[in-house]
Amino acid sequence: MTCNLYLGFFQIMTKSFTSEFPHVERYFWTLVNQPKIKKILGEVKQAVSLPPVPSKKPAAQPKETKPKAEPKKEAKKEVEKQAAKAEAAEEEEAPKPKPKNPLDLLPPSKMVLDDWKRLYSNTKTNFREVAIKGFWDMYDPEGYSLWFCDYKYNEENTVSFVTMNKVGGFLQRMDLARKYAFGKMLVIGANPPFKVKGLWLFRGQEIPQFVIDECYDMELYEWKKVDLSDAAQKERVNQMIEDCEPFEGEPLLDAKCFK
């Protein structure tokens, strides 16, 4: 919508015209001043006057007599011109190599994330004995790290379906990290306000910077790295992976998995 409006604002829609549509104006100027859009469109300026309308019958121009070029030389020049254009087009269209994600440059890990996700999805019974045990057998503390997260504004979670939708939206926006992460998000409590807590497994020893930069939900949570030397924290990891209920003395309203 912003791109469609851009040509109008830039070429023909003057302030005297757009001022009759204040909501459209506010929408347009808000969007074009967003950093990511501004990076593409640049500084947008509104048309100050209407462009002149050309007359239907252009004024007759005196014919200029040009010396006739020799056919062979003219044809040769045209061929060379077209060849140069084609070469320039090929150079422009050549795809630039996609920069590697910094996580792909880390030393190889013995943990294969897809193997864990497959084990989690396929384990239907004896979850502790099969999936949880399998997780710790696979886990590589040098190549991966575990993190707890707690929503900062639980007092706002007064409506159950709104709270669950909030968590679902977070997981959708985390899609950019699917290759490098696994997560569990729990909505806890029988009555509002509901608590939102999570457990995340990330490639590397820190939360990936590109996730922090691109997913705005990250700043809505308090993040704490799991200390696996603490038996209580390790047991909390187990309970969150298996959707243990009650969890920390309260019933689970919902449990979502990112895999």
Side-chain angles (χ1 to χ4, degrees), residues 75-119:
K76 184 179 179 182
K77 286 182 180 179
E78 185 63 25
V79 170
E80 290 175 350
K81 186 178 178 182
Q82 294 299 328
K85 279 186 178 180
E87 186 176 344
E90 285 181 6
E91 289 179 359
E92 288 180 5
E93 292 174 5
K96 295 181 180 179
K98 190 176 180 181
K100 283 193 173 183
N101 189 299
L103 298 183
D104 293 328
L105 304 177
L106 293 175
S109 171
K110 69 173 187 177
M111 184 176 193
V112 179
L113 191 58
D114 284 341
D115 287 350
W116 157 241
K117 291 180 179 180
R118 195 174 301 112
L119 177 64

Side-chain angles (χ1 to χ4, degrees), residues 49-82:
S49 62
L50 291 174
V53 180
S55 60
K56 293 183 179 179
K57 293 183 179 180
Q61 298 291 331
K63 292 184 178 179
E64 294 182 5
T65 56
K66 293 183 179 180
K68 292 184 179 180
E70 295 181 16
K72 288 185 179 179
K73 287 185 178 179
E74 195 66 30
K76 184 179 179 182
K77 286 182 180 179
E78 185 63 25
V79 170
E80 290 175 350
K81 186 178 178 182
Q82 294 299 328

Side-chain angles (χ1 to χ4, degrees), residues 23 36-37 127 147 154 163 177 187 194 236 243:
H23 298 304
K36 291 185 178 179
I37 296 180
F127 200 86
W147 296 78
N154 285 320
T163 305
V187 181
F194 304 103
R236 191 171 190 254
D243 304 336

Side-chain angles (χ1 to χ4, degrees), residues 57 62 73 172 178 243-244 254:
K57 293 183 179 180
K73 287 185 178 179
Q172 286 181 347
R178 196 167 297 278
D243 304 336
C244 180
D254 192 29

Side-chain angles (χ1 to χ4, degrees):
M1 177 63 75
T2 302
C3 291
N4 288 336
L5 289 169
Y6 169 74
L7 288 177
F9 271 81
F10 182 67
Q11 293 183 336
I12 62 172
M13 296 197 299
T14 60
K15 178 66 178 176
S16 60
F17 173 76
T18 59
S19 61
E20 297 181 26
F21 309 96
H23 298 304
V24 175
E25 279 192 323
R26 184 169 62 251
Y27 169 83
F28 177 76
W29 291 114
T30 298
L31 267 291
V32 297
N33 283 293
Q34 296 303 307
K36 291 185 178 179
I37 296 180
K38 198 169 186 178
K39 185 178 179 182
I40 296 170
L41 296 182
E43 193 70 33
V44 178
K45 294 184 179 179
Q46 188 166 5
V48 294
S49 62
L50 291 174
V53 180
S55 60
K56 293 183 179 179
K57 293 183 179 180
Q61 298 291 331
K63 292 184 178 179
E64 294 182 5
T65 56
K66 293 183 179 180
K68 292 184 179 180
E70 295 181 16
K72 288 185 179 179
K73 287 185 178 179
E74 195 66 30
K76 184 179 179 182
K77 286 182 180 179
E78 185 63 25
V79 170
E80 290 175 350
K81 186 178 178 182
Q82 294 299 328
K85 279 186 178 180
E87 186 176 344
E90 285 181 6
E91 289 179 359
E92 288 180 5
E93 292 174 5
K96 295 181 180 179
K98 190 176 180 181
K100 283 193 173 183
N101 189 299
L103 298 183
D104 293 328
L105 304 177
L106 293 175
S109 171
K110 69 173 187 177
M111 184 176 193
V112 179
L113 191 58
D114 284 341
D115 287 350
W116 157 241
K117 291 180 179 180
R118 195 174 301 112
L119 177 64
Y120 174 89
S121 298
N122 294 339
T123 304
K124 307 301 180 186
T125 59
N126 300 323
F127 200 86
R128 275 266 174 165
E129 295 75 11
V130 179
I132 299 296
K133 182 180 182 303
F135 173 77
W136 293 116
D137 289 343
M138 295 179 187
Y139 183 65
D140 172 18
E142 295 180 358
Y144 285 83
S145 57
L146 286 162
W147 296 78
F148 293 129
C149 67
D150 290 276
Y151 192 63
K152 294 179 182 178
Y153 310 104
N154 285 320
E155 68 278 2
E156 298 176 358
N157 298 333
T158 57
V159 181
S160 59
F161 77 88
V162 174
T163 305
M164 290 187 284
N165 287 345
K166 186 185 299 180
V167 174
F170 173 35
L171 298 188
Q172 286 181 347
R173 289 181 284 277
M174 282 294 287
D175 191 65
L176 75 169
R178 196 167 297 278
K179 182 180 174 183
Y180 311 101
F182 170 87
K184 292 300 298 281
M185 295 296 296
L186 308 181
V187 181
I188 304 162
N191 300 298
F194 304 103
K195 298 174 184 175
V196 177
K197 299 176 183 289
L199 168 74
W200 286 85
L201 171 72
F202 288 117
R203 182 75 166 97
Q205 292 303 303
E206 300 296 333
I207 299 173
Q209 188 60 44
F210 75 92
V211 175
I212 296 173
D213 293 340
E214 297 295 330
C215 184
Y216 69 81
D217 302 76
M218 299 295 288
E219 65 184 22
L220 304 178
Y221 291 82
E222 294 284 356
W223 294 87
K224 179 183 176 183
K225 196 171 187 179
V226 177
D227 179 6
L228 293 178
S229 65
D230 183 340
Q233 291 191 40
K234 187 171 182 179
E235 174 56 23
R236 191 171 190 254
V237 171
N238 294 340
Q239 292 180 9
M240 297 186 84
I241 292 177
E242 69 172 337
D243 304 336
C244 180
E245 188 174 15
F247 180 74
E248 297 182 341
E250 297 186 82
L252 289 183
L253 176 65
D254 192 29
K256 297 183 184 295
C257 181
F258 177 87
K259 54 183 171 54

